Amino acid sequence: MQVIERVRERSDETTYAAYHHDLLFKQLIHTFFEEFLEAFFPDVHQNIDFRYLSPISEEVFTDLHEGDTRRLDIVMETKLKDEDVILIIHVEPQSYTQTNFHERMYHYFSMLYNKYRKPIVPIAVFSYDHKREEPTEFHMTFPFFHVLTFNFLALPLKQTNWRDFIKSNNPAAAALLSKMGYTEKERTQVKFEFLRMMSKAEVPCSPPKIISKNV
């Protein structure tokens, strides 16, 4: 019984740590949403008119199949440049591995589209501390018919080269620098570059806690 209880305690601690980590990521991306897209998804950034950017109230959906309630982390509404097209950008931070995550992204996409009936740009941010190839497509097909292929954009931080961002003063890139791929020998240099970037970046008086955790 003691072994079972210890396993449960560790599982609860891991779940809480992942939840807390995702909350910090949510705060970071909300605060620096435009900078986040500029650094990691420049094609999306250059097509968005940020004058119309506004967060949608927290989206909570009930998953009848799983029997639980799911909360979407970051959902923004905005417009395309030079077009009268309103779209939704959904960003989902993921701090732990999940074999069916690509299917979950499709569920979120479906629920958002069912509610708003607007074009959606789905983005996943993988922040766990090991390299892993994540599928970014969800298929539904039969031997006789292909029903659909759903795609989403992804940012696998551990597979991202930190050196590609140190010449910028982008606060979102700086804050995520420590989650990118680097060796133990490079750790000190990564911390130095983080401090240098933050000293030149424009940040709020009270920056998100995830930034201070990188110091």
Side-chain angles (χ1 to χ4, degrees):
M1 288 294 293
Q2 289 182 346
V3 173
I4 294 175
E5 290 300 325
R6 287 174 184 171
V7 170
R8 286 176 179 170
E9 287 176 4
R10 288 174 184 171
S11 177
D12 290 343
E13 289 174 1
T14 301
T15 301
Y16 174 78
Y19 174 74
H20 183 63
H21 182 274
D22 286 349
L23 280 181
L24 292 177
F25 261 70
K26 178 180 177 180
Q27 183 186 11
L28 167 71
I29 296 173
H30 260 297
T31 304
F32 300 112
F33 189 77
E34 182 175 353
E35 292 85 352
F36 168 77
L37 292 180
E38 181 182 27
F40 300 107
F41 300 98
D43 289 342
V44 177
H45 179 269
Q46 68 181 9
N47 284 284
I48 297 300
D49 191 335
F50 289 94
R51 295 176 301 170
Y52 298 96
L53 186 69
S54 63
I56 295 178
S57 59
E58 192 171 68
E59 294 297 329
V60 179
F61 297 102
T62 300
D63 189 324
L64 298 178
H65 178 70
E66 297 291 339
D68 61 1
T69 299
R70 297 186 177 183
R71 179 175 285 102
L72 275 63
D73 286 318
I74 301 160
V75 184
M76 297 285 196
E77 185 179 82
T78 186
K79 281 188 176 183
L80 290 177
K81 284 182 179 177
D82 304 321
E83 293 187 41
D84 191 22
V85 176
I86 298 176
L87 73 152
I88 292 171
I89 302 177
H90 167 220
V91 181
E92 188 70 17
Q94 181 74 358
S95 60
Y96 59 95
T97 58
Q98 188 177 28
T99 55
N100 65 336
F101 178 78
H102 59 305
E103 183 177 358
R104 181 154 66 91
M105 284 294 288
Y106 172 67
H107 289 167
Y108 289 165
F109 174 88
S110 301
M111 290 186 290
L112 280 172
Y113 186 75
N114 186 56
K115 181 174 181 178
Y116 292 102
R117 289 293 197 274
K118 294 175 182 176
I120 300 168
V121 179
I123 299 173
V125 182
F126 300 112
S127 60
Y128 37 74
D129 293 326
H130 59 276
K131 292 183 178 181
R132 171 186 164 92
E133 292 297 326
E134 289 282 356
T136 57
E137 295 182 349
F138 174 71
H139 302 275
M140 184 178 294
T141 189
F142 300 97
F144 53 85
F145 181 61
H146 178 75
V147 179
L148 64 86
T149 297
F150 165 74
N151 297 273
F152 59 92
L153 296 170
L155 174 60
L157 284 169
K158 208 61 180 177
Q159 299 180 49
T160 302
N161 191 335
W162 61 277
R163 294 182 183 276
D164 293 340
F165 299 91
I166 58 176
K167 292 183 179 180
S168 77
N169 298 322
N170 188 303
L176 297 178
L177 209 64
S178 70
K179 302 299 293 183
M180 298 181 193
Y182 58 87
T183 65
E184 188 63 30
K185 291 182 179 180
E186 294 173 326
R187 181 183 295 274
T188 300
Q189 186 178 356
V190 169
K191 182 172 289 190
F192 170 79
E193 294 294 348
F194 162 75
L195 294 172
R196 183 192 60 77
M197 291 171 69
M198 291 306 300
S199 69
K200 295 183 178 181
E202 295 183 6
V203 298
C205 295
S206 300
K209 290 182 179 179
I210 194 169
I211 291 182
S212 60
K213 285 173 71 68
N214 283 275
V215 179

